[in-house]
Amino acid sequence: MNIAIIGAGLAGSILANRLCDFHNVTIFEKARGPGGRMSTRRADPFAFDHGAQYFTAENPDFQDFLAEMEMDGLVGAWPDQIALHGDVRVSEKLKYVAIPGMNAICKYLAIDMDLRTQIHIESLERTAEGWRLVDKKGAAHGPFDWVISTAPSVQTAALFPSDFSGHTALRFVQMQGCFALMLGFDQPLTLDWSALKSGEPPIGWMAINSTKPGRPEPYALLIQSDNAWAEAHLEDEPEAVMDALLEAGSKLADLDLSVAAHQKLHRWRYAATPKPAGQPFLFDAEMQLAACGDWCLGSKVEAAFSSASALADHILTAPKA
Ligand SMILES: Cc1cc2nc3c(=O)[nH]c(=O)nc-3n(C[C@H](O)[C@H](O)[C@H](O)COP(=O)(O)OP(=O)(O)OC[C@H]3O[C@@H](n4cnc5c(N)ncnc54)[C@H](O)[C@@H]3O)c2cc1C
C-alpha cells in the first residue's frame, strides 16, 4: 500500500520505521526537519531543547527501544538535580534525553525514509485513485491508499473530512500551549540545581540545558511557562510574555536573568494534553484514514511511542482483504 504519514515527530517517525518494510511510506513534515515537539533550537554557540525536556520509560517496548538507542549513543541518562520548593534532590525516576539534542532520535529514524520536509499539508481530497494531499502552496501529492495523521488533535481534526469516524474522539481531546524562553549566557550562573519545578505561574519549569549529556558547553537556560498560564496568554504580545517569564524566573533563581546575551521566545500552541483521547489510535478502515500521537494516550514522549507502536501493530496484523 502507499501510505502517507503527516508529521515527523516521534509518533510519525516510529510508525514510518515500523511500516516501511511492508509498504511504501511517505512522510510529510511542515518543519525544516524531523523532531516535532522533541526539537532542538541552535543559536550559535547555544543549543536549547525548547520542547520536550526529558523522557521516562515504563513501557517495556519503549525501554527496549531506548536500550538500542543508548548503545548507538543517541540516548543517555540525565542525572538531574531538581529543585522543588527550595529542596534540591536527584529525582528517583531515571530521566533520559536524546544526544546531542532532543531531535536526535527522530533524525536517526528518518535516515533512508522518504521524508519530505517543509511541506505543510492543508487538505485531503478523495479521488477514485485514493487520497491526494494538497499542501499550503497548492501542490498535490499522491495518490495514497492510506493517510495517517500524527499532527496534534486539533490539527488532525481540521485536516480530516467530517465523516471520519474519529471526530468524536478528536473533539474530546484537550491540549494546552506553552511558552519556551531560551536564554544564553556569556558566563555560567551560580545555581545549585540543573532543573527547577515551579508551582507558581507563570513559570512551570526551568532547566540548565547545558547540564544534559552531550550538549555544547555555553551556558543555556530554558524557562517554560505553566501550561494553564500559557493558555490564558497565548495571544499576548511576545514582549509581554518574555518580560513576565524573565521577571518570575529571576525571582525563582534569585538572579537577574535579563542580562542573558541571547534571549528568544517560542510559542507552542499545542504542547500538553490534560485530556487525552483514552484510546491508543483512531482508525477508520472504510475511509482508510488513521491518527495517532501522544494526545491519544497522554502528554509525553512515551505516549507518542506507545500510540504509534499500537497503530503499527494493528496495521501489520490486520487481515488482508
Ligand atoms: C514545551 C514542551 C515541553 C514538553 N516536555 C516534555 C517532557 O519533559 N517530557 C515528555 O515526555 N514530553 C514532553 N513534552 C511532550 C512531548 O514533546 C510530546 O509528547 C511528543 O514529542 C509528541 O510527539 P508526536 O509525534 O505525537 O507529536 P509532534 O511531536 O507534535 O509531531 C507532530 C508533527 O506533525 C507536524 N505537522 C503538524 N501538522 C502538519 C501538517 N498539516 N503538515 C505537515 N506536518 C504537520 C508537526 O510539525 C510535528 O513535527 C513537551 C512538549 C512541549 C511542547
Side-chain angles (χ1 to χ4, degrees):
M1 293 190 293
N2 290 321
I3 301 180
I5 296 179
I6 300 174
L10 188 67
S13 305
I14 291 287
L15 193 60
N17 266 263
R18 289 281 314 277
L19 299 181
C20 69
D21 286 343
F22 309 93
H23 301 288
N24 298 320
V25 176
T26 310
I27 317 172
F28 296 94
E29 170 55 56
K30 67 180 178 181
R32 268 184 300 174
R37 280 173 278 153
M38 289 179 80
S39 53
T40 306
R41 179 73 65 85
R42 283 172 215 289
D44 208 24
F46 306 106
F48 303 89
D49 300 321
H50 66 310
Q53 296 299 293
Y54 63 85
F55 40 91
T56 49
E58 277 165 26
N59 169 345
D61 290 341
F62 192 43
Q63 289 169 352
D64 290 347
F65 170 77
L66 291 183
E68 272 179 42
M69 296 277 129
E70 208 164 355
M71 280 196 302
D72 289 334
L74 287 162
V75 163
W78 179 29
D80 59 329
Q81 291 180 295
I82 295 211
L84 195 58
H85 308 300
D87 183 15
V88 181
R89 59 178 63 179
V90 176
S91 53
E92 284 154 24
K93 253 192 195 168
L94 197 56
K95 291 183 165 57
Y96 295 96
V97 295
I99 297 172
M102 286 304 261
N103 61 359
I105 295 178
C106 295
K107 270 172 116 172
Y108 176 80
L109 293 174
I111 297 171
D112 295 335
M113 289 287 138
D114 183 0
L115 167 63
R116 312 210 183 152
T117 55
Q118 293 183 288
I119 297 185
H120 189 152
I121 302 302
E122 196 163 55
S123 60
L124 308 186
E125 282 176 10
R126 211 175 332 199
T127 71
E129 291 78 38
W131 290 105
R132 274 187 205 281
L133 278 58
V134 181
D135 70 29
K136 265 205 155 160
K137 293 177 181 157
H141 308 266
F144 294 98
D145 302 308
W146 273 84
V147 179
I148 303 173
S149 173
T150 69
S153 56
V154 179
Q155 294 169 334
T156 295
L159 272 174
F160 277 7
S162 56
D163 45 345
F164 170 60
S165 63
H167 271 297
T168 308
L170 284 169
R171 274 196 299 274
F172 176 83
V173 177
Q174 276 176 15
M175 297 189 76
Q176 287 181 328
C178 183
F179 289 101
L181 177 59
M182 295 162 261
L183 300 174
F185 295 85
D186 293 331
Q187 298 295 328
L189 305 177
T190 310
L191 292 169
D192 59 358
W193 41 260
S194 47
L196 176 147
K197 249 184 203 167
S198 159
E200 296 170 40
I203 308 282
W205 163 268
M206 291 165 66
I208 306 164
N209 206 82
S210 35
T211 60
K212 294 179 184 175
R215 266 59 181 175
E217 263 182 25
Y219 200 91
L221 178 75
L222 186 92
I223 301 183
Q224 274 180 356
S225 73
D226 172 77
N227 293 116
W229 185 88
E231 257 329 274
H233 293 84
L234 269 186
E235 305 305 333
D236 287 7
E237 289 298 325
E239 293 75 20
V241 173
M242 204 152 147
D243 287 350
L245 293 179
L246 268 179
E247 193 186 326
S250 298
K251 260 194 207 145
L252 283 172
D254 203 14
L255 290 168
D256 180 9
L257 300 180
S258 68
V259 301
H262 172 83
Q263 305 187 6
K264 183 91 186 155
L265 185 76
H266 180 85
R267 181 183 72 168
W268 294 99
R269 188 172 275 282
Y270 306 109
T273 316
K275 205 167 139 203
Q279 46 188 304
F281 52 82
L282 308 180
F283 192 82
D284 189 326
E286 207 170 303
M287 295 191 79
Q288 312 216 146
L289 293 175
C292 68
D294 64 339
W295 51 268
C296 285
L297 291 171
S299 211
K300 290 179 188 285
V301 168
E302 183 164 7
F305 176 90
S306 300
S307 170
S309 303
L311 178 55
D313 288 344
H314 187 76
I315 292 172
L316 294 175
T317 55
K320 305 281 174 291

